[in-house]
Short mmCIF file of all heavy atoms in Angstrom, two decimals:
data_model
loop_
_atom_site.label_atom_id
_atom_site.label_comp_id
_atom_site.label_asym_id
_atom_site.label_seq_id
_atom_site.Cartn_x
_atom_site.Cartn_y
_atom_site.Cartn_z
N ALA A 1094 -2.21 13.63 38.32
CA ALA A 1094 -1.49 12.60 37.57
C ALA A 1094 -2.03 11.19 37.80
O ALA A 1094 -1.89 10.32 36.95
CB ALA A 1094 0.00 12.65 37.92
N GLY A 1095 -2.63 10.95 38.96
CA GLY A 1095 -3.12 9.61 39.25
C GLY A 1095 -2.00 8.70 39.70
O GLY A 1095 -1.04 9.12 40.37
N SER A 1096 -2.06 7.44 39.30
CA SER A 1096 -1.13 6.43 39.79
C SER A 1096 0.20 6.39 39.03
O SER A 1096 1.07 5.61 39.36
CB SER A 1096 -1.78 5.04 39.73
OG SER A 1096 -2.19 4.74 38.39
N LEU A 1097 0.34 7.21 38.00
CA LEU A 1097 1.58 7.26 37.22
C LEU A 1097 2.23 8.63 37.38
O LEU A 1097 1.54 9.62 37.66
CB LEU A 1097 1.29 7.00 35.74
CG LEU A 1097 0.83 5.59 35.36
CD1 LEU A 1097 0.43 5.56 33.89
CD2 LEU A 1097 1.92 4.56 35.63
N PRO A 1098 3.55 8.71 37.19
CA PRO A 1098 4.21 10.03 37.23
C PRO A 1098 3.59 10.97 36.21
O PRO A 1098 3.15 10.55 35.13
CB PRO A 1098 5.67 9.69 36.88
CG PRO A 1098 5.83 8.26 37.27
CD PRO A 1098 4.50 7.61 36.99
N PRO A 1099 3.55 12.27 36.51
CA PRO A 1099 2.90 13.22 35.60
C PRO A 1099 3.72 13.43 34.34
O PRO A 1099 4.95 13.24 34.34
CB PRO A 1099 2.86 14.51 36.43
CG PRO A 1099 4.01 14.38 37.38
CD PRO A 1099 4.09 12.91 37.71
N PRO A 1100 3.07 13.82 33.24
CA PRO A 1100 3.82 14.11 32.02
C PRO A 1100 4.62 15.40 32.16
O PRO A 1100 4.30 16.25 32.99
CB PRO A 1100 2.71 14.27 30.96
CG PRO A 1100 1.49 14.64 31.74
CD PRO A 1100 1.62 13.97 33.07
N ALA A 1101 5.67 15.51 31.34
CA ALA A 1101 6.50 16.71 31.32
C ALA A 1101 6.37 17.37 29.95
O ALA A 1101 5.64 16.90 29.08
CB ALA A 1101 7.95 16.35 31.62
N LYS A 1102 7.10 18.48 29.76
CA LYS A 1102 7.05 19.22 28.51
C LYS A 1102 8.45 19.41 27.96
O LYS A 1102 9.41 19.60 28.70
CB LYS A 1102 6.38 20.58 28.72
CG LYS A 1102 4.92 20.51 29.12
CD LYS A 1102 4.34 21.92 29.29
CE LYS A 1102 2.87 21.86 29.69
NZ LYS A 1102 2.30 23.23 29.87
N LEU A 1103 8.55 19.36 26.63
CA LEU A 1103 9.81 19.63 25.94
C LEU A 1103 9.44 20.22 24.59
O LEU A 1103 8.59 19.66 23.88
CB LEU A 1103 10.65 18.35 25.79
CG LEU A 1103 12.09 18.52 25.33
CD1 LEU A 1103 12.96 17.40 25.89
CD2 LEU A 1103 12.22 18.54 23.81
N GLU A 1104 10.03 21.34 24.24
CA GLU A 1104 9.69 22.03 23.00
C GLU A 1104 9.83 21.10 21.78
O GLU A 1104 10.81 20.41 21.62
CB GLU A 1104 10.62 23.23 22.81
CG GLU A 1104 10.34 24.04 21.55
CD GLU A 1104 11.38 25.12 21.31
OE1 GLU A 1104 12.16 25.43 22.23
OE2 GLU A 1104 11.42 25.64 20.17
N GLY A 1105 8.79 21.08 20.93
CA GLY A 1105 8.81 20.26 19.74
C GLY A 1105 8.35 18.84 19.96
O GLY A 1105 8.33 18.03 19.01
N VAL A 1106 7.97 18.51 21.20
CA VAL A 1106 7.50 17.16 21.54
C VAL A 1106 6.09 17.26 22.09
O VAL A 1106 5.78 18.15 22.89
CB VAL A 1106 8.45 16.49 22.57
CG1 VAL A 1106 7.90 15.15 23.02
CG2 VAL A 1106 9.85 16.32 21.99
N ASP A 1107 5.21 16.37 21.65
CA ASP A 1107 3.80 16.45 22.04
C ASP A 1107 3.52 15.85 23.41
O ASP A 1107 2.55 16.23 24.07
CB ASP A 1107 2.94 15.76 20.98
CG ASP A 1107 3.02 16.47 19.64
OD1 ASP A 1107 2.25 17.42 19.43
OD2 ASP A 1107 3.86 16.09 18.81
N LEU A 1108 4.35 14.89 23.83
CA LEU A 1108 4.12 14.26 25.14
C LEU A 1108 5.43 13.67 25.65
O LEU A 1108 6.15 13.00 24.90
CB LEU A 1108 3.06 13.16 25.03
CG LEU A 1108 2.71 12.40 26.31
CD1 LEU A 1108 2.08 13.34 27.34
CD2 LEU A 1108 1.75 11.23 26.01
N VAL A 1109 5.73 13.92 26.92
CA VAL A 1109 6.90 13.33 27.59
C VAL A 1109 6.39 12.62 28.83
O VAL A 1109 5.74 13.23 29.69
CB VAL A 1109 7.93 14.40 27.98
CG1 VAL A 1109 9.12 13.76 28.69
CG2 VAL A 1109 8.40 15.19 26.77
N THR A 1110 6.65 11.32 28.94
CA THR A 1110 6.16 10.55 30.08
C THR A 1110 7.28 9.69 30.67
O THR A 1110 8.34 9.52 30.08
CB THR A 1110 5.01 9.61 29.68
OG1 THR A 1110 5.54 8.50 28.92
CG2 THR A 1110 3.96 10.33 28.86
N GLU A 1111 6.98 9.12 31.82
CA GLU A 1111 7.80 8.05 32.39
C GLU A 1111 7.75 6.86 31.43
O GLU A 1111 6.87 6.80 30.57
CB GLU A 1111 7.24 7.71 33.78
CG GLU A 1111 7.95 6.60 34.52
CD GLU A 1111 7.49 5.22 34.10
OE1 GLU A 1111 6.35 5.10 33.59
OE2 GLU A 1111 8.25 4.26 34.25
N GLY A 1112 8.65 5.92 31.57
CA GLY A 1112 8.79 4.86 30.59
C GLY A 1112 7.98 3.59 30.79
O GLY A 1112 6.81 3.49 30.39
N ILE A 1113 8.59 2.59 31.42
CA ILE A 1113 8.04 1.24 31.46
C ILE A 1113 6.66 1.19 32.13
O ILE A 1113 5.74 0.53 31.62
CB ILE A 1113 9.00 0.28 32.20
CG1 ILE A 1113 10.33 0.18 31.44
CG2 ILE A 1113 8.38 -1.10 32.35
CD1 ILE A 1113 10.20 -0.42 30.07
#
Side-chain angles (χ1 to χ4, degrees):
S1096 58
L1097 292 173
K1102 295 181 180 180
L1103 191 150
E1104 181 187 346
V1106 175
D1107 296 274
L1108 180 64
V1109 179
T1110 73
E1111 179 277 336
I1113 297 296

